[in-house]
Amino acid sequence: MNSQYGLEVDLVQNKALGAFLMFRTVQAYEKNEKTNSGCPLLLLFLVLPVLYQKDIRNALKSTRINSGLRKFTNKFSSREIKETDVLLRVHDLADSYKKLSWASFILASKANMLAVLPDDALVVSHDQKIPRKYECPSIKPMLTGADKLGAWFAKNSLYEIASNLKVRF
C-alpha cells in the first residue's frame, strides 16, 4: 500500500493484519448469529475503516459488547466525545479502504481462514485456531474491536447497520 503518510502507516495498516481482523469479525459473527448462515461480504468492508481509525477504535474500546451497535454510535453525539462528524466519515473511509479491504479478504481466503458462499455473498470462517502468540499486545484492542463488530453485526440487519454507521451499501 503506497501511503502519503509513509512506511509507518503501511506497516500497521497492512493486508495481513486486515485479514486477521476480518477473520476474527467473521468468527464473532458466526458465534452470535442465530441461523449460522454466514456473514454478509459487504460488512467486511467496514471492519478496517472502523478498526484502523484511532478515534473510532477508542470509542469502540470503551463500549461493552453487550451494549450493542446503537450505544456505540450514540457515543459520538454524547457530551464526552462531541464528534458526530466521525460517524459521517465512515462511508468515505470505507471507500478509501476498499482496495486494502479487498486485498485483506483475498489474503484471508488464500490462507484458508475465510470462504465465500457465492450464491448468497456470505462469508464463513474455517475452523482454525490462530496461536495466541500472534495476538501481541499492540493489536489486542483491534482484535477485541473485531470481536465486538462481529457480534454487533450479527445482531442487526444490514439496514440497521447502515443506518447506525451512516453508510450506504
Side-chain angles (χ1 to χ4, degrees):
M1 178 177 158
N2 261 334
S3 170
Q4 66 186 20
Y5 298 108
L7 180 63
E8 292 83 8
V9 172
D10 291 343
L11 290 174
V12 175
Q13 296 183 358
N14 64 65
K15 64 184 179 181
L17 177 57
F20 192 26
L21 295 172
M22 287 180 175
F23 173 70
R24 288 284 292 256
T25 301
V26 172
Q27 281 190 321
Y29 186 99
E30 291 170 337
K31 184 177 175 184
N32 289 278
E33 205 267 332
K34 306 260 187 283
T35 64
N36 204 18
S37 58
C39 178
L41 178 60
L42 289 172
L43 295 179
L44 295 185
F45 286 91
L46 297 175
V47 173
L48 302 187
V50 169
L51 296 176
Y52 281 174
Q53 296 298 308
K54 187 175 183 179
D55 49 355
I56 300 173
R57 192 174 59 246
N58 285 342
L60 184 67
K61 182 180 177 182
S62 67
T63 308
R64 284 184 275 192
I65 198 164
N66 294 336
S67 298
L69 183 63
R70 182 166 294 163
K71 181 80 169 181
F72 164 67
T73 57
N74 285 344
K75 284 188 172 191
F76 293 100
S77 58
S78 72
R79 289 186 181 152
E80 298 88 45
I81 298 179
K82 293 183 189 172
E83 294 183 10
T84 54
D85 63 319
V86 171
L87 277 183
L88 298 175
R89 284 189 358 238
V90 173
H91 180 78
D92 292 334
L93 287 168
D95 191 49
S96 65
Y97 278 96
K98 198 180 325 180
K99 286 183 181 177
L100 179 59
S101 293
W102 184 247
S104 297
F105 175 72
I106 294 297
L107 180 61
S109 296
K110 287 182 178 179
N112 214 21
M113 297 165 75
L114 299 175
V116 178
L117 305 175
D119 293 339
D120 301 314
L122 297 173
V123 179
V124 294
S125 68
H126 287 284
D127 220 6
Q128 286 191 19
K129 288 282 186 198
I130 306 294
R132 285 249 184 246
K133 68 180 180 179
Y134 295 115
E135 295 181 12
C136 61
S138 61
I139 66 166
K140 188 75 171 157
M142 288 185 191
L143 296 175
T144 304
D147 294 338
K148 288 179 185 179
L149 284 177
W152 295 342
F153 288 167
K155 295 175 182 173
N156 290 278
S157 68
L158 285 175
Y159 173 78
E160 291 168 320
I161 294 165
S163 177
N164 280 299
L165 290 177
K166 314 287 188 237
V167 296
R168 296 177 307 277
F169 292 117

